[in-house]
Amino acid sequence: MSNRVVCREASHAGSWYTASGSQLNAQLEGWLSQVQSTIKPARAIIAPHAGYTYCGSCAAYAYKQVDPTITRRVFILGPSHHVPLSRCALSPAEIYRTPLYDLKIDQKVYADLWKTGMFERMSLQTDEDEHSIEMHLPYTAKAMESHKDDFAIVPVLVGALSESKEQEYGKLLSKYLADPANLFVISSDFCHWGHRFRYTYYEESQGEIYRSIEHLDKMGMGIIEQLDPISFSNYLKKYHNTICGRHPIGVLLNAVAELKKVGQDMNFSFLNYAQSSQCRNWQDSSVSYAAGTLVVH
């Protein structure tokens, strides 16, 4: 009896992005062609996970910095939107489908992570319901297409971690971040503003609401660029900005802090910022997106 390979279907294809491989390829090529590769090679990127009509052009700024000739493993850290999770979880799948081509999970790294006892196993249903990792799969496939048989992915669903847990996972993953053959994709949108998100922070001195949102986001982005996990935690406690990937970002910042202790020189730069729409009154709502790159010197 043959063992059936467990596949995660591209469950958001046809709604959050096109299910047509040729259309998707053309869209991704279009967005990537608009952008310069300025800060290559990326060791980690932060990029959004909304529908591609909203954030496809923003995400291109991050993915353009990926170097497929050296990348052999892509870790994708996405926040959990639907299930309560206090730790991190691994997928039960072996293959992640995309309309471009199938991506295989690195089972050796998965086994090593599992052995630590720090991870849960999510159900296939949970995996397919969640969009935060899936929205990075087509872009990963596109960025890596010239070496599509030479790499594997390591998807990690990140729960609502305490600061000390973010530190533990950062420490654990820092040895992987230290390896130039690994790329970390950190999945996060920025401010979700409006009554439907129960977040309406507004600083009048900034003028229009959308300018206040941008000011708040850029303050957080500046702190991320400083690569200081404690400052980022303090910023979130003070402003409660609705950055949905704050825990994956926290894990990355802690991993970087670990490597800095041993003298690794790194810097992070944001390359693009966008909003789904410009909020001008209290009935409006918007989601912000940012794309950035971590480079190791």
Side-chain angles (χ1 to χ4, degrees):
M1 203 176 92
S2 68
N3 286 340
R4 286 194 48 230
V5 175
V6 181
C7 295
R8 181 202 183 280
E9 295 302 327
S11 48
H12 293 73
S15 52
W16 290 56
Y17 57 97
T18 177
S20 154
S22 57
Q23 264 185 323
L24 183 58
N25 188 53
Q27 280 176 350
L28 296 172
E29 268 178 12
W31 288 317
L32 288 163
S33 70
Q34 305 290 310
V35 179
Q36 303 300 307
S37 61
T38 45
I39 314 186
K40 265 180 141 160
R43 185 73 56 89
I45 60 175
I46 293 175
H49 55 236
Y52 281 1
T53 50
Y54 296 104
C55 76
S57 58
C58 175
Y61 283 81
Y63 279 96
K64 189 79 171 199
Q65 318 310 324
V66 173
D67 185 349
T69 64
I70 57 170
T71 305
R72 293 296 162 261
R73 226 173 270 106
V74 181
F75 287 73
I76 306 172
L77 275 57
S80 175
H81 285 87
H82 306 296
V83 293
L85 187 64
S86 63
R87 303 200 297 163
C88 290
L90 304 176
S91 172
E94 294 155 81
I95 298 284
Y96 271 24
R97 294 201 187 286
T98 84
L100 301 178
Y101 59 89
D102 292 350
L103 304 177
K104 59 180 187 296
I105 290 182
D106 189 318
Q107 293 301 331
K108 188 193 174 307
V109 172
Y110 249 30
D112 291 345
L113 294 177
W114 186 251
K115 269 191 273 204
T116 64
M118 291 168 67
F119 293 83
E120 296 172 27
R121 189 75 67 175
M122 60 178 136
S123 69
L124 191 60
Q125 184 67 56
T126 293
D127 199 355
E128 290 184 348
D129 286 349
E130 181 55 63
H131 63 275
S132 74
I133 293 172
E134 180 180 340
M135 296 310 293
H136 290 281
L137 304 176
Y139 252 121
T140 296
K142 184 64 187 161
M144 293 299 297
E145 70 182 343
S146 61
H147 287 72
K148 66 178 177 190
D149 299 321
D150 305 330
F151 83 101
I153 60 168
V154 183
V156 177
L157 189 64
V158 178
L161 307 179
S162 63
E163 280 174 61
S164 62
K165 280 217 177 92
E166 285 179 6
Q167 208 172 353
E168 282 169 40
Y169 284 107
K171 198 174 267 192
L172 172 69
L173 294 172
S174 64
K175 69 169 188 189
Y176 297 103
L177 185 64
D179 182 347
N182 293 333
L183 167 73
F184 275 72
V185 172
I186 306 299
S187 176
S188 186
D189 297 336
F190 274 70
C191 185
H192 296 61
W193 194 93
H195 291 297
R196 72 191 184 102
F197 299 119
R198 295 191 291 282
Y199 187 75
T200 51
Y201 174 85
Y202 172 54
E203 213 173 297
E204 220 168 288
S205 63
Q206 295 302 318
E208 297 273 17
I209 293 171
Y210 71 89
R211 293 213 180 274
S212 167
I213 295 168
E214 179 171 355
H215 178 72
L216 178 68
D217 279 331
K218 290 197 167 167
M219 197 191 311
M221 290 156 67
I223 290 166
I224 292 167
E225 288 181 334
Q226 290 164 20
L227 297 172
D228 179 358
I230 292 159
S231 296
F232 186 57
S233 290
N234 290 341
Y235 160 82
L236 291 171
K237 281 179 198 150
K238 183 172 180 182
Y239 296 102
H240 304 283
N241 192 1
T242 42
I243 300 171
C244 52
R246 58 191 172 275
H247 298 298
I249 293 169
V251 171
L252 175 70
L253 295 180
N254 278 285
V256 167
E258 253 339 276
L259 295 183
K260 281 180 143 179
K261 282 182 197 167
V262 294
Q264 279 270 26
D265 181 23
M266 308 181 177
N267 71 298
F268 193 96
S269 309
F270 277 101
L271 304 169
N272 187 251
Y273 174 78
Q275 295 175 349
S276 60
S277 60
Q278 293 189 335
C279 292
R280 294 170 192 275
N281 65 57
W282 295 99
Q283 281 66 56
D284 291 343
S285 67
S286 72
V287 180
S288 309
Y289 313 115
T293 308
L294 178 80
V295 176
V296 181
H297 302 291

